[in-house]
Amino acid sequence: RKEVEQDPGPFNVPEGATVAFNCTYSNSASQSFFWYRQDCRKEPKLLMSVYSSGNEDGRFTAQLNRASQYISLLIRDSKLSDSATYLCVVNPGGGSQGNLIFGKGTKLSVKP
Amino acid sequence: DTEVTQTPKHLVMGMTNKKSLKCEQHMGHRAMYWYKQKAKKPPELMFVYSYEKLSINESVPSRFSPECPNSSLLNLHLHALQPEDSALYLCASSQDYPAVTGELFFGEGSRLTVL
């Protein structure tokens, strides 16, 4: 099982749709979790951290399920500008703490 | 605009050339990183510098040689590269290493083509 797995997509959705991405991780001792966004031919940027209690930032909601070892990202009322690749990132902790592990990313395309 | 600046943005080099990639940040961050990213793949960690000392080398071939002249600068020296080394090379920084907040600030990258 890969350390961090994501559905590569693409997810093609109309403007205004709600879309959700999941990400699974293999190391149950993983410490912290993040979603990054990467636009085409640009650098990754932190979108949000993911907390056990779940957290929301405007149209974006992130949740963590430690028992099932997955995190999710929900985007409501999708905008054209949300089109990007969303990278799930895990801090495994332990001896390799600090070496963030990036998933392969889920590509989202929002259409008019 | 990113607060991590990388030069050059594009580089084409032959297999016998020697070139360098440069990265600069003025956020007072104490950790700097080099990542390599191929198309449709996630970034792969190459090196980590913490307080100007090499902390992590992810078994990178010696044809890639990092250098951290001071806390704001990070270089990647390239020599005798192979065509398969063609990729986007991303520099990043974080407040500290480990990046406990998970926030890495990436530069826009240097797109390298090896002929």
Side-chain angles (χ1 to χ4, degrees):
Chain A
R1 183 179 177 186
K2 294 179 184 171
E3 290 188 88
V4 177
E5 285 199 76
Q6 297 180 248
D7 181 343
F11 284 59
N12 297 310
V13 304
E15 268 188 293
T18 295
V19 62
F21 311 135
N22 283 339
C23 165
T24 58
Y25 60 94
S26 59
N27 183 351
S28 59
S30 294
Q31 303 265 326
S32 46
F33 310 87
F34 313 91
W35 285 102
Y36 274 70
R37 169 194 170 130
Q38 186 169 23
D39 292 302
C40 187
R41 301 182 75 81
K42 302 286 267 181
E43 75 277 18
K45 292 184 180 178
L46 179 66
L47 178 66
M48 58 199 303
S49 303
V50 187
Y51 304 121
S52 296
S53 54
N55 47 304
E56 189 174 309
D57 182 3
R59 298 181 293 108
F60 297 82
T61 300
Q63 292 200 306
L64 166 64
N65 184 318
R66 282 194 182 272
S68 301
Q69 294 180 211
Y70 78 83
I71 68 174
S72 63
L73 178 68
L74 181 78
I75 305 175
R76 289 181 298 279
D77 188 23
S78 300
K79 311 291 184 193
L80 296 177
S81 56
D82 293 333
S83 297
T85 295
Y86 291 82
L87 298 163
C88 172
V89 181
V90 174
N91 181 340
S96 56
Q97 183 169 357
N99 293 352
L100 300 178
I101 301 173
F102 286 76
K104 290 188 176 182
T106 297
K107 186 173 181 180
L108 171 66
S109 182
V110 182
K111 307 290 188 185
Chain B
D1 286 343
T2 182
E3 295 180 80
V4 177
T5 56
Q6 290 187 242
T7 55
K9 288 193 171 11
H10 299 275
L11 177 63
V12 179
M13 61 186 290
M15 289 190 284
T16 57
N17 292 158
K18 282 186 181 180
K19 297 285 185 183
S20 297
L21 305 180
K22 296 185 185 302
C23 175
E24 191 168 359
Q25 59 89 12
H26 293 290
M27 294 178 282
H29 287 176
R30 292 175 280 269
M32 296 186 77
Y33 309 71
W34 280 114
Y35 281 84
K36 173 182 176 179
Q37 187 174 26
K38 303 277 268 185
K40 300 187 190 301
K41 300 283 188 185
E44 294 176 24
L45 183 64
M46 299 175 73
F47 302 104
V48 182
Y49 273 83
S50 177
Y51 289 92
E52 302 166 44
K53 288 187 171 22
L54 183 64
S55 294
I56 298 285
N57 175 342
E58 290 285 355
S59 304
V60 179
S62 60
R63 56 186 185 269
F64 295 92
S65 174
E67 178 197 18
C68 189
N70 60 55
S71 58
S72 301
L73 293 174
L74 185 65
N75 299 323
L76 186 62
H77 302 299
L78 315 171
H79 174 53
L81 294 195
Q82 304 296 311
E84 58 265 29
D85 295 322
S86 299
L88 180 68
Y89 287 84
L90 292 161
C91 174
S93 70
S94 63
Q95 188 75 30
D96 288 293
Y97 179 77
V100 291
T101 66
E103 184 156 21
L104 298 181
F105 292 79
F106 285 90
E108 292 184 344
S110 293
R111 193 164 296 279
L112 173 68
T113 302
V114 182
L115 301 176

